[in-house]
Amino acid sequence: MTNRVTGLLILFSLLSSSLFAQVSEDFEKTRQAMQKQKDEVVAAEMKLTEPEDKAFWPLYREYQEALRKLQDRSFELLAGYAQERENETFTDQKAKALLDEYLDIDREDLWLKRAYLEKFGKILPAKKVMRYFQLENKIAAMINYQMTQGVPLAK
């Protein structure tokens, strides 16, 4: 797992270096490469039986697509903040709107986790569901850490 996580960290650093650039083809390629690395980590670490494997991957892809939509919103939120700050148009009103969106994204993320915990629980034993969400949380923590490194504090 260590080599795969190192690979993910390298990809995450590529993402964070282009975080405030315009969304481009390079960003999408980086995201696809990150997802491929993530898929490999999950495949290696889940230790699924053949029947579990068959049921797991379609649900996993469905969950990843739902997560991607939330990640897009988070990226847009950070990019919007960066642009406001760069243009020196960041106001208390805009800060409140960004905070509201941040909380909405967090709430939807929690709802999504609850919904998919239940769905994964129907196809996997509880220990494997827990293992999967531990992997998701570790990877998400690495992404969040890398993304926030370049975010300046509000002033």
Side-chain angles (χ1 to χ4, degrees):
M1 181 170 162
T2 305
N3 289 339
R4 287 186 175 93
V5 171
T6 302
L8 280 171
L9 284 173
I10 291 167
L11 288 170
F12 296 149
S13 67
L14 290 173
L15 173 63
S16 66
S17 68
S18 64
L19 181 60
F20 300 113
Q22 285 184 322
V23 175
S24 66
E25 202 174 293
D26 290 340
F27 173 78
E28 193 54 39
K29 284 180 186 176
T30 300
R31 181 168 30 197
Q32 288 173 3
M34 287 170 48
Q35 185 64 54
K36 185 174 186 275
Q37 285 284 322
K38 181 180 179 181
D39 295 350
E40 290 171 4
V41 169
V42 170
E45 295 297 323
M46 283 301 294
K47 316 278 192 253
L48 299 169
T49 65
E50 192 173 322
E52 290 170 345
D53 189 75
K54 195 172 189 169
F56 175 80
W57 290 104
L59 188 56
Y60 169 83
R61 285 188 287 280
E62 180 184 306
Y63 182 52
Q64 294 308 300
E65 183 57 35
L67 283 176
R68 181 185 176 120
K69 290 174 184 173
L70 285 178
Q71 291 163 351
D72 286 347
R73 284 178 60 193
S74 292
F75 179 80
E76 288 172 20
L77 180 109
L78 288 173
Y81 167 68
Q83 182 152 8
E84 293 287 343
R85 197 165 187 283
E86 185 179 314
N87 294 340
E88 297 181 6
T89 56
F90 190 64
T91 64
D92 282 340
Q93 184 179 2
K94 289 177 182 174
K96 183 174 179 346
L98 289 175
L99 287 168
D100 288 344
E101 174 67 358
Y102 168 76
L103 291 175
D104 286 345
I105 293 168
D106 255 11
R107 183 176 32 256
E108 287 180 39
D109 182 54
L110 181 58
W111 176 86
L112 193 64
K113 284 177 183 169
R114 286 181 188 273
Y116 277 87
L117 269 168
E118 187 176 319
K119 290 180 180 186
F120 281 109
K122 290 178 181 176
I123 63 168
L124 296 174
K127 286 182 183 178
K128 286 190 179 178
V129 173
M130 183 173 178
R131 182 179 187 85
Y132 171 63
F133 277 91
Q134 285 176 318
L135 288 167
E136 280 289 345
N137 288 333
K138 285 182 178 191
I139 293 167
M142 288 186 292
I143 292 171
N144 290 337
Y145 177 77
Q146 288 296 322
M147 283 180 54
T148 59
Q149 289 304 295
V151 178
L153 296 176
K155 50 177 171 166

